[in-house]
Structures are given as C-alpha cells and as structure tokens.
Amino acid sequence: MLIVAFVKKNLLLLVFTIIFFFLQFSAANSTKTNFAILDSIASSAIQTIYKNCSNSDTIFYKIIPEENDWFIEKKLLELKGNRVLINANNISDNQNSQMKFGIKIAIEDFSTKFEQIEDHSDSVKRTCTLVLNVIKNYFDKQSETFNVALTHKDTLHFDALQNLNHSSFQFANSSIPTKKRSLFVRIIEPALIVATVALTTILFFTVRSK
C-alpha cells in the first residue's frame, strides 16, 4: 500500500523524468556523425569547384597526393554530371599536350576537432573543416587560383561524443577531450561529503548517548 501511495503521489514527477530521458536519448541519436558532416561538406566543395570551372565537357584533373585524396576524387567523380573527367596522372605526354582545361586540387585541411567550452563542463564544440586550394589551368591563358573553405560548427553534450567518431576514416575522427569538472562540482561536492560524514557521526554518537 505504501508503494502504491508513493507512486500515485509522485506519478507526475515520474512521467516528466521519463519524458526528459527520452528527449535526451532522441537528441543524442539524431546528432550527425563527423563522417556525415564531412561527406556533405565535401560534396558542397566539389559543387563549388565545378561552378568556378569552365563549361568544357572534358576536364583533366589532378589531386595532389595526400592521405585523403581518394575521398576528394570519389566526390569529384560522383558529382561530375555529364562532364568527362580524365585523371592527368594516367595520360600520356601527347594527351597532356592536347589538354584544353584542367584543374589541380590540393587538400589544405580536412579534419574534425572537439574542444571543451570554458565554464561549461558538459558541452563540447565540434568543428569539421575542409579547405581546398584549386588551380585552373587553360591551354590558351594564364592559370587561376582560388580556395574553397567550408566549416561546420556545433555544440554537443559530452555524452554524445562516443558515437560521432568514424573509426574507418582518420579525417572523421578526433580525440575526445577529458571532461573537466565545473567549479561548482569541485567545491560543493567535497563539502557535501564532509558535511554528510560529520552529520552521520554526530547522529551516531547522539543515538549512542541516549
């Protein structure tokens, strides 16, 4: 009977608690992984490159060798549309001399970083970055250079970080910072422990003296 009465008395609190944890769980699972964000950023970067390139149906391309060059090449080929792309590394000198338009891409930054926010022990800032340096080469005029720099920033709860790294790709991984305890926790928590121990000791000796 006591249990039933307790449940009835605290039913509203119990319902709100369940709803709170459900919302927390849903928010954690709806957060995009680092890889999903970088994949989207890379697609946007390649689309920007194509918009800045000539309308030539055939484009010779070269990506400066780097750890993640394969991924940029993959996005380049995925989004080429009706264009014909030719890897400049795989052609003969004769074909190279016939090149009308080409692009050279260098990856300057492709990374994910987590950084704890000062005075917010439970919050972390995530920054996903892609910076590409692009050189447009023409057979009949001077080359042109431009940069494509895209960044995604958001603020996350510490508990969500474990599921955001993508172990297969280094660019989508970042070391998780050590969680710092807030000033409130560092001061109040020990004080509460000391007060609890002191109160327990006083009650113990008070009961014994009686």
Side-chain angles (χ1 to χ4, degrees):
M1 293 295 293
L2 290 175
I3 295 176
V4 174
F6 175 82
V7 171
K8 287 182 178 179
K9 185 178 179 180
N10 297 277
L11 183 60
L12 189 60
L13 178 61
L14 183 63
V15 170
F16 278 119
T17 302
I18 293 173
I19 292 174
F20 173 78
F21 280 108
F22 176 76
L23 291 175
Q24 288 285 95
F25 178 80
S26 299
N29 282 275
S30 62
T31 303
K32 286 186 176 181
T33 63
N34 305 332
F35 179 80
I37 292 172
L38 289 169
D39 182 74
S40 176
I41 286 178
S43 295
S44 297
I46 297 304
Q47 288 171 345
T48 300
I49 289 174
Y50 280 135
K51 287 178 182 178
N52 280 274
C53 289
S54 70
N55 296 322
S56 175
D57 294 333
T58 301
I59 299 176
F60 292 79
Y61 73 91
K62 182 176 183 179
I63 301 176
I64 304 301
E66 195 259 10
E67 183 180 1
N68 303 309
D69 57 1
W70 65 271
F71 190 80
I72 299 303
E73 182 175 22
K74 173 176 172 288
K75 303 305 292 186
L76 197 68
L77 295 172
E78 281 180 2
L79 300 169
K80 67 184 180 67
N82 295 324
R83 302 177 183 88
V84 176
L85 296 186
I86 300 175
N87 190 330
N89 291 320
N90 300 330
I91 62 175
S92 65
D93 292 338
N94 182 50
Q95 288 175 304
N96 197 29
S97 64
Q98 298 173 7
M99 182 182 73
K100 293 184 178 181
F101 177 75
I103 54 173
K104 182 187 290 185
I105 301 173
I107 304 171
E108 296 188 356
D109 190 8
F110 195 30
S111 62
T112 304
K113 294 179 182 177
F114 291 129
E115 182 182 359
Q116 186 165 10
I117 300 174
E118 291 294 331
D119 301 324
H120 291 81
S121 61
D122 290 331
S123 299
V124 174
K125 181 173 71 174
R126 173 174 62 177
T127 305
C128 298
T129 306
L130 173 59
V131 179
L132 301 176
N133 178 266
V134 185
I135 299 175
K136 298 191 293 184
N137 293 309
Y138 303 87
F139 80 101
D140 58 350
K141 60 180 180 178
Q142 189 174 2
S143 62
E144 300 174 8
T145 302
F146 66 94
N147 284 334
V148 180
L150 298 175
T151 302
H152 171 94
K153 294 183 179 180
D154 55 8
T155 301
L156 307 168
H157 192 276
F158 240 102
D159 296 339
L161 301 185
Q162 297 292 341
N163 301 320
L164 300 183
N165 280 332
H166 196 284
S167 59
S168 299
F169 307 112
Q170 188 57 41
F171 62 82
N173 291 330
S174 176
S175 58
I176 297 176
T178 303
K179 187 175 182 179
K180 298 178 183 177
R181 302 198 323 170
S182 65
L183 183 63
F184 175 82
V185 172
R186 281 182 284 157
I187 295 176
I188 300 300
E189 192 176 72
L192 288 175
I193 294 174
V194 171
T196 302
V197 172
L199 182 61
T200 303
T201 304
I202 292 171
L203 289 174
F204 175 74
F205 284 106
T206 301
V207 171
R208 284 196 62 183
S209 63
K210 291 182 180 182

